[in-house]
Amino acid sequence: MEKLLRYWVGSILGVLLLITAAAQGVTFPDVAAGSWYGAAVEEMTQKGLLTGCDDGTFQPMREISAAEFVVITLRCTGRELTLGEGHWASAALSYARDEGWFDWDELSFDRGCWTACDEPISRQLAVKILMKALLPNTKYDFNVESQKISDFSSLNGRYYEAVLSASAAGIIKGDEAGAFHPERGLTRAEACVLFQRALDRRENLPPSQADPGPKTPSQNMETVSGGVSENGWLQVKGTQLCNEAGEPVALHGMSSHGLQWYGHFVNSQTIQNTAAYGANVFRIAMYTGEGGYLSQPDVIKEKAFEAIDAAVQNDMYAILDWHILSDGNPMNHVTEAEIFFAEAAERYAETPNIIYEICNEPNGNVTWAGDVKPYAQRLVSVIRARSPKSIILIGSPTWSQDIHLAAADPIEGENLMYTFHFYAGTHGQDLRNRIDSARAAGLSVFVSEWGTSRADGSGGVFLEESRVWLDYLEERGISWCNWSLCDKDETSAALKPGTAPDRDWTEKDLTVSGQFVFSRFISSKDEVK
Ligand code: DCB
């Protein structure tokens, strides 16, 4: 009873405060009229985008949590929320993740729980979510905008696009010293100002720019298929992979899992089993860390060379993949990489089958300009000195998703392509748009690894999402390899647990993922010679 009374008194007081505040044109007792953020709060409240706290206050100087930020962003896009299971914001958080406003490792969903989403959101992540949700097609000039942000060098590469486009759109302005402080929190007052600027900007865009849909540089690309005896040395013309005769070609096939774990699925028989379904490429994932090449160089190198020879016997292209993963920065082992690729490129200098993939997935605290690009320049020159014509595949930060950074600052040279990796349960339309923009800027893209699962190799299977992705790649003549040819008990694996590696396979040996992927090696558009 006493509780109820307190509640009523509280509410009445709250209402009285609200009325007085409204009379002054401001809605919250703790938001002073005329303060630098007062107008933004008022506008957001009038539009129904802000509700304030249970006690009727706004708490402008409290740091906004990730959950609060995502929920308000979603409201700004005009979407209604339904309460999900568990955390009050779980429906909004899942929606935002599925839309690609943030990646799964930025706000993690763990064992049914949105961990850490009640913690203050970092400024860099907030700006990324805001830009992806409200102003996804904002253009920027890398050099101009990066100059404006005095602490730009401390920014992680995966936030370049968001922060630079937000700067270009006038959404963020640094402090007195021009600093953005990417890792700091954001007060609710600051967040409100960001929302208001983004909404203003959005309202003033011509409708076509507000949502132009994906750009489509070269759709309906007709490609040829077939093996090395038909296509010979590959070459890049414009953004397209072509055969020796200059015709657009698409490579489709499997990637191995780690040679140190699933090397028994990397032999002439298993590679031939994929060729029997129409594959014309095989990727050899030579992990460097996790018990791979760096801990047993001779054994793993021999296995990789055997795998190349098996692919050659089967008339297939072979991607030799320096599979960095736990060792996230390729510069950590650049000398080892130079020695390895020097030997490989010399050995296979005359073999048209080989494609060099010099760094699987840079991740963690790496930048394009400071780490991946200088690494790639060194490796390209090592390989080129020995194998002048071969195709070289180059990764980018954020597990080879940051191709926009490469597009803004590419590497000089011929027959270079940039890898883009995706997992259909995690990555979606915003990344397809990113590929289109990169290609429109002249970048040549090769999907050397993708999975039907979530980004951790399990979950799903996400066949519908995979179909959308493969149709997208097919329309553009983009080549791909699927993760992975092994029998591990995870949804991305193509083979059922216990499948024998030393015989032909039938549909029954393939998992749901394997059946889907094998059925797509030959695309409906391939002009089979
Ligand atoms: C990539 C890696 C690849 C990894 C797959 C699936 O990593 F290139 O090595 O494979 O994508 O995560 C997985 C295997 C597991 C194994 C694990 C560790 O399927 O069996 O236990 O490697 O060796 C990615 C790709 C994208 C993202 C994250 C990762 N992403 N990742 O977008 O967040 O964290 O490994």
Side-chain angles (χ1 to χ4, degrees):
M1 183 64 194
E2 197 193 320
K3 233 181 176 175
L4 200 67
L5 202 69
R6 240 194 280 146
Y7 173 78
W8 277 110
V9 171
S11 306
I12 292 165
L13 264 180
V15 170
L16 282 177
L17 280 172
L18 271 185
I19 294 171
T20 10
Q24 293 165 355
V26 179
T27 343
F28 300 103
D30 54 350
V31 174
S35 60
W36 56 271
Y37 57 88
V41 174
E42 189 181 346
E43 191 184 318
M44 292 280 291
T45 314
Q46 274 169 5
K47 288 182 176 160
L49 302 172
L50 273 188
T51 44
C53 305
D54 287 347
D55 63 357
T57 63
F58 178 64
Q59 303 184 7
M61 294 309 145
R62 175 161 71 75
E63 287 186 330
I64 193 163
S65 73
E68 291 170 328
F69 194 89
V70 169
V71 165
I72 298 172
T73 307
L74 192 67
R75 268 189 215 133
C76 291
T77 68
R79 286 181 185 81
E80 279 301 317
L81 283 169
T82 46
L83 274 185
E85 303 255 302
H87 192 280
W88 63 274
S90 65
L93 289 159
S94 303
Y95 177 89
R97 181 201 47 205
D98 294 346
E99 286 293 299
W101 295 355
F102 59 84
D103 291 325
W104 66 277
D105 64 314
E106 287 171 311
L107 287 177
S108 57
F109 185 70
D110 189 24
R111 283 175 274 274
C113 217
W114 282 98
T115 47
C117 64
D118 293 321
E119 301 292 314
I121 191 170
S122 69
R123 299 162 88 86
Q124 57 192 9
L125 182 55
V127 166
K128 172 171 166 178
I129 291 171
L130 188 76
M131 295 308 286
K132 290 223 176 224
L134 299 178
L135 296 164
N137 300 298
T138 308
K139 301 245 176 327
Y140 61 88
D141 179 319
F142 187 94
N143 294 324
V144 172
E145 299 309 324
S146 58
Q147 286 293 315
K148 291 186 192 161
I149 302 167
S150 62
D151 54 352
F152 184 72
S153 59
S154 70
L155 187 68
N156 180 324
R158 74 194 296 185
Y159 299 106
Y160 283 0
E161 188 175 45
V163 171
L164 295 175
S165 60
S167 169
I171 311 289
I172 55 166
K173 300 176 180 148
D175 62 10
E176 314 77 57
F180 172 60
H181 305 295
E183 315 258 0
R184 281 194 197 161
L186 191 69
T187 65
R188 289 161 55 87
E190 287 173 322
C192 206
V193 171
L194 293 192
F195 283 125
Q196 190 225 0
R197 286 188 190 144
L199 286 172
D200 267 6
R201 169 93 185 181
R202 199 164 134 101
E203 273 163 22
N204 292 326
L205 286 178
S208 62
Q209 254 193 37
D211 189 13
K215 278 178 266 131
T216 49
S218 50
Q219 288 200 35
N220 293 320
M221 173 64 67
E222 294 289 339
T223 52
V224 296
S225 56
V228 182
S229 55
E230 289 160 64
N231 290 301
W233 283 94
L234 300 172
Q235 53 174 325
V236 179
K237 294 176 94 183
T239 61
Q240 181 60 42
L241 184 64
C242 294
N243 62 17
E244 198 165 328
E247 299 164 301
V249 68
L251 306 186
H252 299 149
M254 292 303 297
S255 171
S256 75
H257 199 290
L259 296 183
Q260 77 276 34
W261 297 311
Y262 291 96
H264 50 294
F265 286 104
V266 182
N267 60 49
S268 191
Q269 173 75 51
T270 57
I271 293 175
Q272 188 193 320
N273 290 349
T274 66
Y277 283 81
N280 56 355
V281 62
F282 186 76
R283 177 179 187 244
I284 300 153
M286 192 184 77
Y287 273 70
T288 45
E290 301 178 72
Y293 178 82
L294 296 171
S295 27
Q296 36 175 347
D298 293 339
V299 177
I300 297 292
K301 184 173 70 188
E302 197 174 317
K303 182 73 210 171
F305 289 171
E306 262 175 51
I308 293 180
D309 299 340
V312 172
Q313 272 171 32
N314 284 293
D315 195 30
M316 288 172 100
Y317 291 96
I319 300 177
L320 184 56
D321 161 35
W322 183 257
H323 199 84
I324 62 163
L325 189 63
S326 57
D327 45 336
N329 189 337
M331 273 300 190
N332 290 344
H333 300 289
V334 61
T335 314
E336 291 91 332
E338 285 176 330
I339 294 169
F340 174 79
F341 280 107
E343 183 178 344
E346 212 157 283
R347 183 176 170 127
Y348 295 106
E350 303 302 323
T351 314
N353 309 58
I354 319 302
I355 296 171
Y356 299 95
E357 181 171 357
I358 59 177
C359 51
N360 168 48
E361 293 184 350
N363 64 83
N365 199 17
V366 289
T367 64
W368 171 254
D371 305 299
V372 186
K373 185 179 181 191
Y375 169 86
Q377 284 168 324
R378 283 173 65 167
L379 270 291
V380 166
S381 73
V382 164
I383 295 169
R384 277 289 170 266
R386 291 152 181 96
S387 177
K389 293 202 281 191
S390 52
I391 303 288
I392 302 176
L393 306 182
I394 300 163
S396 57
T398 317
W399 298 283
S400 292
Q401 287 160 32
D402 288 352
I403 50 169
H404 55 293
L405 306 180
D409 182 17
I411 290 162
E412 297 261 321
E414 303 281 300
N415 295 329
L416 306 180
M417 299 183 83
Y418 295 81
T419 57
F420 181 86
H421 291 181
F422 70 87
Y423 280 81
T426 303
H427 306 117
Q429 187 58 47
D430 63 310
L431 291 173
R432 288 190 285 273
N433 293 346
R434 181 182 286 184
I435 296 175
D436 281 340
S437 310
R439 294 179 77 234
L443 211 71
S444 168
V445 175
F446 194 120
V447 173
S448 59
E449 185 187 304
W450 73 275
T452 55
S453 63
R454 279 190 322 244
D456 61 0
S458 62
V461 183
F462 296 91
L463 292 191
E464 208 28 67
E465 292 79 358
S466 299
R467 197 167 285 129
V468 173
W469 266 109
L470 287 194
D471 290 349
Y472 167 91
L473 298 179
E474 192 174 314
E475 278 170 14
R476 289 157 181 76
I478 298 177
S479 297
W480 53 259
C481 295
N482 174 260
W483 184 265
S484 72
L485 191 69
C486 77
D487 71 342
K488 184 168 177 171
D489 187 14
E490 62 180 7
T491 50
S492 57
L495 301 168
K496 287 185 185 156
T499 302
D502 55 358
R503 57 162 171 81
D504 292 348
W505 296 326
T506 67
E507 301 283 302
K508 286 196 201 115
D509 295 308
L510 304 179
T511 59
V512 176
S513 178
Q515 290 184 19
F516 171 77
V517 172
F518 278 43
S519 77
R520 298 285 305 239
F521 289 151
I522 298 183
S523 73
S524 49
K525 288 187 173 175
D526 280 348
E527 180 197 301
V528 184
K529 286 194 199 166

